[in-house]
């Protein structure tokens, strides 16, 4: 069960702002911001009665966080205090970005798994490097067996990489070659009951250098086996890709909608990164990253569109993330409160 514990005095203002964008209404915030330690189920019932809106957009038990967002806290405090805070904030899952605590001291995989479970957090996935020039590197290409051993020891259902398929370049054939390797990793993961996945940045939506009519992300989708290779769409970076690559190098239009990729093949997207940004055309990437709910990405629309598909409501996992949060616990708390507050439009 999702857990919400700390009221957020800023959330009503944020929801009012997003309401003007057609995302959420301030009345929902009033329902969510009740007494401390209010369970998400109680908040849901109150919101439904007072806001006139439908069920929560966020499916129960499916809110996670990419621990890269909290790397400063993990390295200084260790996993235990971090997990305790995430439990208070209503998170259900965690996605790893490494299994060490840095200066906070060593921890075994068995201890890490137990610690997460003790705080009601399901370890759902992990990011590992794709390849390295170092033959001993902890990457899929160099140490596939060790990577999968560790993932299995943690009980992960997904194991993936945030590295782009640029190992051999940006040509169509280069990406076909990378896709073959991804298929190999996917087959090895599947044999252990896991799913291999790739997390995008904006560059995946660029065009092949040898054929500027071909979007590289389309090569990845076409050349990887849909039963072996899955995708974790980073929604922020996908919309950044839309901003950067809606025209081909020759200037001809090539528009695309990130959500449509998911709607066409929802089974290929078990995981998402929920990351927000304020639109800024002067920025190279089209957005300035911000806490979830403070930006312009319509998460009410995006999450609803996916979870309303037949049989898909509980088929996906939504991981909040911010690459450089001003204060990482504050980011985690506010993002959870905002996402839990969203209601489907009646």
């Amino acid at each position: 069960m999702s857990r919400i514990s700390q009221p957020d005095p800023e959330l009503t203002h944020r929801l009012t702002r997003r309401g003007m964008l057609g995302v959420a209404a301030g009345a929902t915030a009033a329902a969510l911001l009740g007494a401390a330690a209010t369970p998400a189920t109680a908040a849901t019932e109150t919101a439904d009665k007072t806001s006139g809106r439908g069920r929560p957009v966020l499916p129960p038990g499916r809110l996670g966080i990419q621990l890269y967002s909290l790397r400063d806290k993990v390295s200084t405090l260790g996993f235990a205090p971090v997990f305790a805070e995430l439990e208070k904030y209503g998170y259900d899952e965690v996605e790893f970005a490494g299994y060490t605590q840095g200066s906070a001291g060593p921890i075994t995989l068995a201890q890490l798994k137990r610690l997460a479970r003790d705080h009601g957090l399901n370890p759902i996935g992990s990011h590992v490097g794709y390849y390295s020039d170092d033959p001993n590197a902890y990457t899929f290409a160099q140490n596939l067996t060790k990577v999968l051993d560790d993932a299995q020891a943690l009980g992960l259902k997904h194991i993936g990489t945030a590295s782009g398929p640029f190992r051999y370049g940006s040509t169509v054939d280069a990406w076909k070659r990378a896709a073959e390797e991804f298929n190999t990793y996917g087959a090895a993961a599947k044999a252990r009951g896991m799913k291999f996945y790739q997390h995008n940045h904006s560059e995946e939506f660029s065009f092949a250098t040898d054929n500027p009519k071909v979007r590289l992300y389309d090569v990845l989708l076409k050349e990887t086996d849909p039963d072996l290779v899955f995708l974790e769409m980073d929604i922020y970076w996908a919309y950044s890709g839309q901003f950067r690559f809606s025209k081909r190098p020759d200037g001809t239009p090539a528009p695309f909608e990130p959500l449509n990729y998911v709607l066409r093949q929802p089974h290929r997207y078990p995981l998402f990164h929920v990351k927000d940004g304020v639109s800024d055309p002067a920025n190279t990437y089209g957005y300035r990253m911000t806490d979830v709910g403070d930006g312009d990405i319509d998460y009410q629309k995006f999450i609803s569109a996916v979870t309303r598909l037949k049989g898909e409501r509980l088929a996906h996992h939504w991981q909040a993330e911010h690459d450089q949060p001003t204060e990482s616990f504050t980011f985690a708390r506010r993002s959870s409160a905002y996402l839990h507050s969203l209601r489907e439009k009646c």
Side-chain angles (χ1 to χ4, degrees):
M1 179 183 295
S2 297
R3 304 158 302 281
I4 298 292
S5 64
Q6 297 198 20
D8 188 342
E10 300 177 57
L11 184 57
T12 300
H13 170 74
R14 298 166 72 209
L15 285 167
T16 301
R17 173 184 179 277
R18 294 304 295 266
M20 290 186 290
L21 298 174
V23 178
T28 306
L32 181 67
L33 298 177
T38 301
T41 50
T44 297
E45 292 172 359
T46 303
D48 287 345
K49 292 177 181 178
T50 61
S51 70
R53 292 182 178 270
R55 65 180 179 178
V57 167
L58 191 70
R62 291 297 185 271
L63 179 62
I65 191 166
Q66 166 51 254
L67 291 172
Y68 181 77
S69 305
L70 296 159
R71 60 194 180 279
D72 62 323
K73 297 296 194 294
V74 172
S75 66
T76 56
L77 303 176
F79 282 110
V82 171
F83 288 171
E85 288 299 302
L86 295 178
E87 181 180 16
K88 293 177 185 177
Y89 302 159
Y91 285 94
D92 309 295
E93 302 175 335
V94 289
E95 182 184 34
F96 290 103
Y99 311 132
T100 63
Q101 300 190 111
S103 59
I107 187 170
T108 66
L109 295 178
Q111 290 171 330
L112 186 54
K113 179 181 180 181
R114 183 168 59 252
L115 188 62
R117 301 289 184 177
D118 287 347
H119 289 286
L121 298 169
N122 179 30
I124 195 64
S126 180
H127 284 187
V128 177
Y130 168 19
Y131 68 93
S132 171
D133 293 333
D134 178 1
N136 297 313
Y138 190 78
T139 64
F140 283 95
Q142 277 66 44
N143 274 293
L144 177 61
T145 299
K146 174 61 175 171
V147 167
L148 296 181
D149 284 347
D150 290 350
Q152 198 164 23
L154 282 166
L156 302 182
K157 295 300 183 183
H158 308 83
I159 180 70
T161 184
S163 301
F166 292 96
R167 183 180 187 180
Y168 304 108
S170 299
T171 65
V172 172
D173 283 344
W175 274 52
K176 286 183 177 181
R177 186 176 177 186
E180 289 179 5
E181 293 183 342
F182 281 14
N183 285 332
T184 298
Y185 309 151
K190 183 176 181 179
R192 298 185 185 221
M194 294 180 283
K195 292 179 179 180
F196 169 81
Y197 64 95
Q198 193 268 342
H199 163 285
N200 65 275
H201 293 86
S202 60
E203 289 77 10
E204 281 87 338
F205 297 94
S206 63
F207 299 93
T209 53
D210 61 334
N211 188 345
K213 293 183 179 181
V214 175
R215 195 180 301 280
L216 288 172
Y217 195 69
D218 295 336
V219 177
L220 178 65
L221 286 169
K222 181 180 179 181
E223 298 297 330
T224 50
D225 187 328
D227 292 326
L228 300 178
V229 176
F230 299 86
L231 291 309
E232 176 180 59
M233 179 173 281
D234 186 303
I235 300 167
Y236 170 92
W237 286 121
Y239 280 103
S240 173
Q242 181 192 61
F243 172 83
R244 298 179 66 193
F245 303 112
S246 284
K247 290 184 179 179
R248 298 185 181 88
D250 64 2
T252 57
F256 72 95
E257 167 55 51
L259 177 57
N260 288 342
Y261 276 105
V262 182
L263 299 182
R264 284 193 292 265
Q265 299 185 72
H267 66 285
R268 297 206 71 178
Y269 293 89
L271 304 172
F272 292 91
H273 273 189
V274 180
K275 185 186 299 181
D276 213 344
V278 176
S279 179
D280 181 4
N283 186 295
T284 300
Y285 296 100
Y287 293 87
R288 288 179 285 106
M289 201 175 295
T290 188
D291 291 353
V292 180
D294 282 346
D296 297 322
I297 297 175
D298 191 341
Y299 277 111
Q300 193 280 339
K301 174 184 175 182
F302 194 103
I303 299 175
S304 289
V306 176
T307 57
R308 282 182 171 180
L309 295 172
K310 184 177 181 180
E312 297 293 329
R313 180 157 174 78
L314 296 176
H316 308 273
H317 305 265
W318 306 88
Q319 315 295 308
E321 188 185 34
H322 192 315
D323 292 358
Q324 297 286 344
T326 300
E327 206 294 313
S328 55
F329 277 155
T330 301
F331 155 75
R333 173 176 54 82
R334 297 174 79 227
S335 298
S336 173
Y338 176 74
L339 289 167
H340 277 106
S341 76
L342 296 178
R343 296 291 180 271
E344 291 185 353
K345 296 178 180 179
C346 295

